[in-house]
């Protein structure tokens, strides 16, 4: 299980590479380690980096909790926008950019 780190201003993105290929399409798990501010010293886990089924790029899944209602399984997103529905795009872009940097450094090595 390989791990890599990519640092940004207030957060470090840490990856645990999915070397076994199970489930299919999952490339890595990602964690956000906070370096500054009120969240310094904490990490947010549960992100996943996936290859798109259509082969057209990558996707990031966010931490969620599953629950059942009348036998039906549902998901409750743990990281949600307050007002701006596109707020999650910034985190998604940071994780995808860090993963691209990881892949580029792995190819150079």
């Amino acid at each position: 299980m390989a791990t890599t780190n990519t640092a940004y201003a207030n957060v470090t993105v840490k990856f645990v590479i999915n070397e076994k290929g199970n489930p299919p399409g999952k490339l890595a798990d990602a964690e956000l380690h906070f370096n500054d501010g009120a969240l310094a010293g904490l990490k947010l886990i549960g992100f996943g980096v996936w290859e798109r089924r259509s082969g057209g790029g990558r996707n990031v899944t966010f931490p969620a909790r599953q629950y059942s209602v009348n036998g039906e399984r549902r998901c409750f997103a743990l990281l949600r926008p307050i007002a701006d529905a596109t707020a999650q795009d910034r985190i998604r872009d940071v994780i995808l950019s860090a993963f691209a940097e990881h892949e580029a450094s792995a190819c150079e090595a």
Side-chain angles (χ1 to χ4, degrees), residues 4 11 36-37 41 60 66 106:
T4 59
V11 68
D36 196 15
V60 176
Q66 288 187 347

Side-chain angles (χ1 to χ4, degrees), residues 26 29-30 44-48 50 60-68 73-80 88 92 95:
K26 186 172 187 180
D29 289 308
L44 181 59
I45 63 171
F47 296 92
W50 296 79
V60 176
T61 55
F62 284 72
R65 168 92 56 183
Q66 288 187 347
Y67 64 99
S68 293
R73 288 173 60 177
R74 298 182 184 180
C75 282
F76 178 82
L78 297 175
L79 184 64
R80 296 180 287 167
Q88 290 180 332
R92 182 175 284 113
I95 292 171

Side-chain angles (χ1 to χ4, degrees), residues 55-107:
R58 307 275 165 73
N59 188 31
V60 176
T61 55
F62 284 72
R65 168 92 56 183
Q66 288 187 347
Y67 64 99
S68 293
V69 174
N70 298 327
E72 179 185 342
R73 288 173 60 177
R74 298 182 184 180
C75 282
F76 178 82
L78 297 175
L79 184 64
R80 296 180 287 167
I82 295 171
D84 181 12
T86 63
Q88 290 180 332
D89 292 344
R90 289 188 298 274
I91 291 277
R92 182 175 284 113
D93 291 343
V94 165
I95 292 171
L96 290 174
S97 175
F99 192 74
E101 287 179 25
H102 158 71
E103 286 186 315
S105 67
C107 289

